Amino acid sequence: MTPVLGTGGRLLNVMKCLVGSGHPLRVMRPDDANIVGNVHGGTILKMIEEAGGIISTRHCNTQPGDRCVAALARVERTDFLYPMFIGEVAHVSAEITYTSKHSVEVQVNVLAENILTGAKKVTNKATLWYVPFSLQNVDKIIEVPPIEYTNQEQEEEGKKRYEAQKMERLETKERNGEKIWPVISPDRQTKGTFTVGFSQSSLIHLVGPSDCTLLGFVHGGVTMKLMDEVAGIVAARHCKTNIVTASVDAINFHRKIKKGCILTVSGRMTFTSKKSMEIEVFVDADNLVEADKGNYRAVTAFFTYISLDKEGKPLPVPPLKLENEEEQKRSEEGEARYLQNKAKRLSEKEQQK
């Protein structure tokens, strides 16, 4: 199905495809999933980002002037409402919902279809923010063409969301900034089970051309997929069961990552409830070509996982054993996020009644 741009670049015809695949739909295959057939959260996040990147890049090039590519700046909290399985067909739809002078807000929905029964279910809803960069000058941010809103209230609500995410991005960058806190792979023979040190993990990735946009910077979806892989390893080491992504708190992209960089993606357990576990993930980049600039913190996020039995039902999560004041502090902060998100979900359910 071909997407059609309406007034102000709004997507009128729902885009139902894995963007860039050349096919109208995408069937989930074994290499998209874990050993029991659950599609990886990172695979879904990558599809979401591709859809958002295409519609925002298309919109920003509807005006005369420099051609540009939209780069992912932030992904708001994303809940995985239902699991997706091998053999199901993924439908991805995207819509531009707000534009500021230099950014685009995109709403993306993911739907899974069982082609044997025809049953469909919405698995994900996500909000992403993009910033357009010029193809002629990769450091130049292009002004975004405005969209037309149905009413003034819609525009004002969008502006509130824009200001809120802008403030949170600044706070997160200040908190993590340029500090590099590598998660060193521990000697698991000396670490007790269910401790932070026992499950913490790191992954090293060399950024190649296939990972990058036309500007030579890493696709946000590629980075998110790597982050989900590391978070999944941490969760699996802690539980030693089948684990699935339940949600991702806001993912902030602090700095662009160039082709040729070496990425260190590190994850550590921060908090466990009775049925879920929170994993903090960092992405640090090391530019080999411009080694004098040193390495830097590029992306940060919190992933939440749940443990499942062989029938796909939730299992209790082993409590995290805290060994020092720093781990205790991170756990308390994680518990606060957990309770805040739980209260928000309950409030939304009440509003839907």
Side-chain angles (χ1 to χ4, degrees):
M1 183 177 292
T2 304
V4 179
L5 286 171
T7 304
R10 182 94 42 123
L11 186 70
L12 298 180
N13 218 0
V14 176
M15 175 169 52
K16 292 184 177 179
C17 63
L18 174 65
V19 180
S21 68
H23 301 285
L25 303 170
R26 164 84 186 272
V27 178
M28 295 294 99
R29 303 186 183 280
D31 57 352
D32 294 318
N34 63 19
I35 57 175
V36 296
N38 299 114
V39 174
H40 291 298
T43 299
I44 297 171
L45 289 171
K46 190 169 184 286
M47 291 192 293
I48 288 172
E49 195 279 326
E50 287 175 341
I54 280 188
I55 190 173
S56 52
T57 297
R58 181 184 286 123
H59 172 72
C60 292
N61 283 286
T62 56
Q63 62 185 354
D66 287 4
R67 299 298 88 191
C68 62
V69 172
L72 183 63
R74 175 180 167 90
V75 181
E76 301 291 359
R77 176 181 169 84
T78 303
D79 289 308
F80 289 72
L81 307 174
Y82 294 98
M84 191 180 296
F85 299 98
I86 293 172
E88 290 187 326
V89 177
H91 301 249
V92 183
S93 61
E95 181 183 11
I96 294 174
T97 48
Y98 180 77
T99 56
S100 68
K101 185 177 181 180
H102 291 129
S103 64
V104 181
E105 179 192 53
V106 181
Q107 300 279 350
V108 180
N109 291 335
V110 182
L111 183 148
E113 177 191 2
N114 184 321
I115 55 176
L116 301 179
T117 65
K120 297 179 181 179
K121 59 188 176 187
V122 175
T123 61
N124 298 80
K125 294 182 178 181
T127 301
L128 305 89
W129 293 88
Y130 288 84
V131 176
F133 289 90
S134 168
L135 285 174
Q136 285 71 43
N137 179 358
V138 296
D139 294 318
K140 178 183 177 182
I141 299 176
I142 303 298
E143 287 195 16
V144 176
I147 63 171
E148 292 185 8
Y149 301 95
T150 305
N151 51 56
Q152 186 68 27
E153 183 181 358
Q154 186 183 37
E155 183 175 7
E156 290 174 356
E157 288 298 319
K159 188 173 183 180
K160 288 179 182 178
R161 295 193 300 272
Y162 167 74
E163 294 295 341
Q165 66 85 27
K166 185 178 179 181
M167 182 64 67
E168 189 173 330
R169 282 182 62 204
L170 290 173
E171 290 174 355
T172 306
K173 188 171 184 178
E174 183 177 340
R175 189 165 63 245
N176 293 292
E178 306 304 314
K179 299 177 182 177
I180 306 298
W181 301 106
V183 177
I184 306 301
S185 296
D187 178 0
R188 298 185 203 286
Q189 302 298 321
T190 65
K191 296 291 183 179
T193 55
F194 309 131
T195 62
V196 175
F198 182 83
S199 61
Q200 65 185 22
S201 305
S202 294
L203 178 154
I204 309 298
H205 180 77
L206 175 62
V207 176
S210 62
D211 297 322
C212 298
T213 67
L214 294 173
L215 296 175
F217 296 108
V218 177
H219 284 288
V222 170
T223 306
M224 290 192 292
K225 192 172 187 297
L226 292 171
M227 294 172 79
D228 181 71
E229 287 179 10
V230 168
I233 291 170
V234 173
R237 277 180 168 156
H238 183 79
C239 291
K240 295 182 173 60
T241 61
N242 176 34
I243 47 87
V244 294
T245 314
S247 66
V248 184
D249 267 12
I251 303 177
N252 291 289
F253 292 76
H254 306 300
R255 290 177 59 178
K256 299 191 292 292
I257 302 170
K258 289 185 177 181
K259 178 173 61 180
C261 282
I262 291 179
L263 301 184
T264 302
V265 188
S266 304
R268 64 187 175 197
M269 190 82 66
T270 53
F271 168 74
T272 56
S273 67
K274 290 182 179 180
K275 293 185 178 180
S276 67
M277 56 204 121
E278 181 190 72
I279 295 112
E280 185 176 21
V281 182
F282 308 99
V283 180
D284 296 326
D286 190 359
N287 194 327
L288 297 182
V289 179
E290 301 173 345
D292 57 312
K293 294 186 178 181
N295 54 0
Y296 58 91
R297 176 66 39 82
V299 192
T300 56
F302 290 97
F303 286 69
T304 298
Y305 277 75
I306 58 174
S307 174
L308 301 177
D309 64 17
K310 293 180 180 179
E311 283 71 45
K313 296 179 181 179
L315 286 170
V317 172
L320 182 63
K321 294 180 181 178
L322 306 174
E323 298 182 299
N324 54 55
E325 291 183 5
E326 185 181 349
E327 291 178 2
Q328 181 66 43
K329 182 175 181 291
R330 288 199 298 263
S331 180
E332 290 171 357
E333 292 172 346
E335 183 178 16
R337 284 186 293 270
Y338 166 77
L339 293 174
Q340 183 181 28
N341 291 327
K342 185 177 181 180
K344 185 178 179 181
R345 289 196 303 272
L346 291 173
S347 176
E348 290 173 350
K349 285 183 179 179
E350 286 296 320
Q351 292 175 4
Q352 292 173 359
K353 289 182 178 179

